[in-house]
Amino acid sequence: DVPAFNSDDMAQGWGLRIAALRERIRRADGVVMATPEYNFSLPGMLKNLIDWLSRGADQPMAHKPVAIMSAATGPLGGARVQYDLRRVLLFVNAMVLVKPEVFIGNAQSKFTSEGQCSDEATRQFVAAQMAAFGRWIAQARAMQAG
């Protein structure tokens, strides 16, 4: 539901969808970005979303804890998208969790046709990352309070 970024449109105001999304992110304790890899990089609509979030003085991603995970049908599991996404999130001053990383390679063999993860090792990697992300959010809160 996010329109293509256009600075002329932005000059007219955020619009309800963008304003609501910015507010949801601002209120969130953290953001999990799970993405596939397209053409060795970010999907265009994810980059577009971050472009919308990067505008304005009230940056909703600034100092926001973020966890990244990716999946791809190839063996690298979306490593290239994560490197590019980390670089883009650096610009918006997000606090990206460094480790543990989750790269799900050969994803077609690890999920059911309904999208459920059927691979125990993958579930364990994701659970470990989410536990670390919870600790990362707590650390971010302590830094901001202190």
Side-chain angles (χ1 to χ4, degrees):
D1 292 338
V2 177
F5 178 78
N6 180 317
S7 59
D8 292 336
D9 292 342
M10 190 185 84
Q12 303 302 315
W14 294 113
L16 294 177
R17 288 184 199 142
I18 301 300
L21 179 62
R22 291 172 63 87
E23 186 58 28
R24 282 183 68 195
I25 289 173
R26 185 177 287 99
R27 287 185 299 182
D29 292 330
V31 175
V32 175
M33 293 189 172
T35 183
E37 181 176 290
Y38 284 101
N39 295 329
F40 288 15
S41 191
L42 280 76
M45 292 310 292
L46 177 56
K47 177 63 168 75
N48 180 66
L49 172 67
I50 296 169
D51 288 343
W52 274 108
L53 295 173
S54 72
R55 302 308 196 265
D58 61 334
Q59 295 287 299
M61 293 297 295
H63 309 290
K64 183 68 61 180
V66 176
I68 300 170
M69 61 180 71
S70 58
T73 56
L76 298 179
R80 293 170 291 228
V81 69
Q82 285 203 29
Y83 297 135
D84 285 350
L85 185 53
R86 288 173 190 279
R87 193 174 45 169
V88 170
L89 291 172
L90 179 66
F91 175 77
V92 296
N93 209 20
M95 298 175 60
V96 179
L97 177 69
V98 177
K99 291 184 180 180
E101 297 174 306
V102 173
F103 303 100
I104 304 171
N106 302 309
Q108 69 280 8
S109 68
K110 296 177 180 169
F111 292 88
T112 67
S113 59
E114 293 82 32
Q116 297 296 314
C117 183
S118 58
D119 182 69
E120 182 59 32
T122 299
R123 285 196 299 269
Q124 289 176 5
F125 288 138
V126 172
Q129 187 190 49
M130 291 299 97
F133 190 46
R135 292 187 299 272
W136 183 235
I137 290 170
Q139 289 174 344
R141 281 185 187 153
M143 285 188 287
Q144 291 169 4

